[in-house]
Amino acid sequence: MDNDRIDQIIDKHQGEASSLIQVLLEIQSENRWLPKETLERVSEKLQVPLTRIQHIATFYKAFSLVPKGRHGIHICMGTACHVRGAQRVLDTAQDLTGIKPGETDLDLKFSLETVNCLGCCALGPVMEIDGKIHGKISPAETADALKKYE
Amino acid sequence: MSKILLKIDGKDVEASEGMTILEAAQNVGIVIPTLCHHDKLEPYGACRFCTVEVESGGWTKLAASCLYPVEKNLVVRTRSEKVDRVRKMILQLLLSHAPDARELQDFAKEYGADKDRFEKEASFCIHCGLCVRYCAEVKKKDAVGFINRGAKREISFTPEMIEYCWNCKECFSLCPTEALQAAYGLTAALVSSSPSCERKSEE
């Protein structure tokens, strides 16, 4: 992410220090992670100390300080999904992507994450990829769904 | 400034508006033990060790005296069975993180706290925030800050500032445990050009 784009995002929020989280969220959604150089730029422009930005960026799970894959997989491990076999869905996803929850593969294709509830327990087990919900999914369907992503 | 009359430990105390119970007590020489309080810093209310019993309008409640503003006709008890129980529990919880902290051990003797009450989870930092706040409020350098949250929260030095920290180290004496020195040492070891590394190679 180049400095011009960062400045654009910051200008959109009138360079207010109180908009820090909004600025970070926007950078995160565009860039998929927050590189150190970016945070330094934000710190300089918004006049917020880097330690405070670091505090906030490590506090919220929405922010990542390491590169994330092009596609974010979220597998629900909540009670309803759990009893309907979420573990098997997770195992399949792990086998296919070769990564564990919280990790990103080497070619930055997938990031795998477990969540505790996606709020649609009737659809369990649920897997969400890039915001798209795959409900009542079997391990075989999990494999099919994952193959569609490049 | 309007004066407010209140009672602390049976003693009539005069305080001005906006003061906290802790400040009012300190003015008349009543000691309320604190861990995260520092005169130069804004009240933080992290440790809750300054908890006192506050009576107003017929009710008693527990309040952190470093944050509680004085009110008219307030009755404050700085030591009572309830207060002592709370402080003992706080000590025991903190001691499971920093069992060797001198300051905590002294208090533990006073309040009869057992340092083995809870399973040890030696993180050494008790999250009083003294170093972080001192660096931000007094030095205005923000060289040390908190990272992560909840059980994983810890202090972290900025590698770029480590040279500045080497010459300052004013926060070192504030730390009630030795977690700060350890965090500094870790960061300094990561920065190959840090003064502590150079010094070692000179020896």
Side-chain angles (χ1 to χ4, degrees):
Chain A
M1 200 168 201
D2 55 6
N3 280 343
D4 290 345
R5 183 68 194 121
I6 300 167
D7 292 353
Q8 246 175 30
I9 293 175
I10 291 169
D11 288 341
K12 213 165 95 189
H13 294 277
Q14 289 90 40
E16 295 247 9
S18 55
S19 306
L20 173 64
I21 291 181
Q22 287 309 319
V23 170
L24 292 182
L25 277 172
E26 237 166 273
I27 295 171
Q28 169 80 40
S29 75
E30 245 172 67
N31 197 42
R32 292 199 304 273
W33 71 295
L34 304 170
K36 192 175 179 196
E37 296 73 35
T38 308
L39 294 184
E40 275 166 358
R41 182 77 183 176
V42 173
S43 160
E44 203 179 294
K45 293 285 273 185
L46 291 184
Q47 294 290 305
V48 178
L50 198 60
T51 42
R52 202 155 305 154
I53 295 184
Q54 201 176 272
H55 186 185
I56 291 164
T58 53
F59 187 94
Y60 295 105
K61 235 187 157 185
F63 300 124
S64 172
L65 297 178
V66 290
K68 284 276 175 188
R70 290 189 296 282
H71 307 291
I73 311 171
H74 295 262
I75 295 176
C76 182
M77 301 307 273
T79 317
C81 292
H82 175 81
V83 295
R84 289 167 182 240
Q87 189 60 51
R88 276 182 290 151
V89 174
L90 178 63
D91 289 343
T92 314
Q94 283 188 11
D95 284 347
L96 276 171
T97 55
I99 48 173
K100 290 197 181 72
E103 294 177 349
T104 301
D105 58 15
L106 277 179
D107 18 306
L108 297 182
K109 189 173 167 191
F110 288 120
S111 288
L112 185 61
E113 214 67 68
T114 58
V115 291
N116 287 327
C117 190
L118 284 167
C120 44
C121 304
L123 294 178
V126 179
M127 174 170 72
E128 184 205 67
I129 306 177
D130 295 343
K132 190 179 181 301
I133 299 275
H134 299 260
K136 297 198 172 161
I137 201 165
S138 68
E141 285 165 337
T142 309
D144 288 342
L146 285 176
K147 274 179 199 139
K148 281 187 202 138
Y149 290 89
E150 261 320 303
Chain B
M1 198 75 108
S2 58
K3 292 281 171 204
I4 292 174
L5 272 174
L6 69 157
K7 242 185 175 89
I8 302 180
D9 284 349
K11 209 163 157 183
D12 286 316
V13 177
E14 201 181 67
S16 50
E17 208 180 314
M19 272 169 102
T20 61
I21 293 178
L22 180 67
E23 285 166 342
Q26 279 173 345
N27 275 353
V28 293
I30 295 171
V31 178
I32 299 176
T34 58
L35 286 171
C36 74
H37 182 80
H38 191 280
D39 289 335
K40 282 186 192 162
L41 304 176
E42 288 290 310
Y44 192 51
C47 67
R48 302 272 139 182
F49 198 59
C50 62
T51 295
V52 291
E53 219 178 332
V54 173
E55 197 178 318
S56 70
W59 291 83
T60 61
K61 57 182 174 187
L62 294 168
S65 61
C66 68
L67 289 171
Y68 203 94
V70 287
E71 285 165 20
K72 218 177 141 206
N73 297 331
L74 216 59
V75 180
V76 179
R77 277 187 291 274
T78 64
R79 287 297 287 265
S80 73
E81 202 193 319
K82 221 170 170 181
V83 167
D84 282 9
R85 206 167 59 223
V86 168
R87 289 191 189 148
K88 185 179 161 188
M89 179 56 81
I90 292 170
L91 280 173
Q92 287 177 157
L93 288 165
L94 292 180
L95 279 165
S96 78
H97 285 283
D100 295 325
R102 184 78 54 81
E103 209 176 330
L104 294 181
Q105 280 178 347
D106 291 345
F107 280 130
K109 252 180 238 155
E110 194 180 336
Y111 289 91
D114 174 12
K115 73 173 175 143
D116 298 316
R117 170 66 183 81
F118 296 105
E119 201 180 324
K120 292 273 173 307
E121 202 181 297
S123 64
F124 304 105
C125 181
I126 59 166
H127 296 149
C128 63
L130 281 171
C131 51
V132 174
R133 288 179 294 141
Y134 189 84
C135 204
E137 291 174 30
V138 178
K139 302 299 285 185
K140 305 220 185 302
K141 285 289 175 192
D142 292 283
V144 59
F146 280 115
I147 52 167
N148 292 327
R149 67 168 159 179
K152 289 203 178 102
R153 193 158 82 130
E154 56 183 322
I155 48 168
S156 161
F157 279 89
T158 316
E160 284 83 358
M161 297 286 290
I162 218 76
E163 211 155 317
Y164 177 86
C165 294
W166 172 258
N167 295 317
C168 169
K169 286 185 179 166
E170 281 172 36
C171 55
F172 275 38
S173 60
L174 298 174
C175 187
T177 73
E178 265 152 40
L180 182 70
Q181 284 91 321
Y184 172 81
L186 270 175
T187 312
L190 287 172
V191 184
S192 54
S193 62
S194 83
S196 58
C197 281
E198 272 164 30
R199 184 169 275 210
K200 258 191 208 118
S201 55
E202 275 165 24
E203 279 165 9

